[in-house]
Amino acid sequence: MQPDYDITLEDQIRECFGRVVYTHKTHERMADNCAKRLNLYKTLQIVLTALTSTSAVGAIVTNEELVEFITALVSFLTLLVTTYLKNFDLGSTAQKHREAAAKLWNVRECYFSLLTDLPTLDRQTAVERRDELQTMLAALYQAAPQTNGKAYIEAQKRLQKMEDLTFSADEIDCFLPLSLKRSGGRPKAVEQH
């Protein structure tokens, strides 16, 4: 380490890195939750539309008040679901969260690289890079859609218990050619005689 290495600066950068990791994962969870909810409402809309059509035919054929009442009720429920889908564009919201997560991923990786490079950087260069990342992050946070507590708790669970961002040496080795593997299959250096 260089003589002017600042552990306080490292601690702050580590803190920022951790916050970005959580925010990135929270936006991923928000996107997934919006997409699931959209799928649920679209399926419900299809089922209600089919029931409305079926009960309308039944009302015409049977001419019974109960069938007419059921037709009106199902038709009203279909209207409610359709109105909800029109007013709350879950597909667009999911896409906005995906875009925010993609941009945050880049900042997260930049913080990770800064932490990796920190021992070799002079303090002024490290501070400048940190400030650049904070400026980028502020702009991203301002443009990003709001998240909620449920998505944060899901992100926390995935990061802490399911270890979403961690890999074993063997897992990483699976992605690398033999010459870059660290475990088991690494070729031995050829001895010179």
Side-chain angles (χ1 to χ4, degrees):
M1 282 188 215
Q2 297 191 1
D4 66 345
Y5 189 77
D6 186 346
I7 193 71
T8 306
L9 180 62
E10 179 188 353
D11 286 345
Q12 185 206 18
I13 293 169
R14 287 171 53 88
E15 181 77 20
C16 291
F17 172 71
R19 284 194 298 260
V20 173
V21 166
Y22 268 85
T23 304
H24 167 256
K25 186 54 71 178
T26 302
H27 277 285
E28 283 186 342
R29 297 308 311 144
M30 284 294 298
D32 289 346
N33 290 344
C34 286
K36 284 178 190 172
R37 205 165 66 210
L38 175 63
N39 189 43
L40 173 72
Y41 276 102
K42 289 285 190 180
T43 302
L44 182 59
Q45 186 179 35
I46 291 167
V47 168
L48 288 172
T49 301
L51 287 174
T52 301
S53 299
T54 304
S55 60
V57 169
I60 292 170
V61 172
T62 63
N63 201 19
E64 289 196 27
E65 286 185 25
L66 178 61
V67 176
E68 291 172 2
F69 174 77
I70 291 171
T71 303
L73 179 64
V74 174
S75 179
F76 179 72
L77 291 174
T78 304
L79 177 65
L80 287 179
V81 171
T82 303
T83 302
Y84 177 84
L85 288 172
K86 180 188 176 304
N87 291 332
F88 300 101
D89 189 354
L90 295 172
S92 175
T93 303
Q95 185 58 35
K96 288 176 185 173
H97 283 291
R98 280 190 192 92
E99 289 168 4
K103 291 173 183 173
L104 286 163
W105 176 86
N106 182 54
V107 174
R108 185 192 81 192
E109 293 303 305
C110 288
Y111 269 112
F112 182 69
S113 295
L114 178 56
L115 284 168
T116 302
D117 298 340
L118 202 55
T120 64
L121 297 175
D122 64 84
R123 188 179 198 293
Q124 185 58 37
T125 303
V127 167
E128 287 171 6
R129 286 191 187 170
R130 178 210 56 200
D131 291 348
E132 288 170 10
L133 288 173
Q134 286 177 331
T135 301
M136 285 174 55
L137 199 53
L140 288 176
Y141 284 162
Q142 190 172 16
Q146 288 286 355
T147 58
N148 62 32
K150 179 183 176 199
Y152 179 82
I153 290 168
E154 289 176 15
Q156 188 176 42
K157 178 182 173 189
R158 287 181 171 270
L159 291 168
Q160 291 180 2
K161 293 184 175 67
M162 299 171 77
E163 299 181 357
D164 261 14
L165 289 178
T166 59
F167 305 96
S168 69
D170 288 338
E171 286 175 307
I172 294 170
D173 279 350
C174 287
F175 306 128
L176 297 171
L178 191 59
S179 62
L180 295 176
K181 292 183 186 288
R182 284 194 177 171
S183 58
R186 182 179 246 180
K188 296 179 179 151
V190 178
E191 291 183 22
Q192 300 286 335
H193 289 278

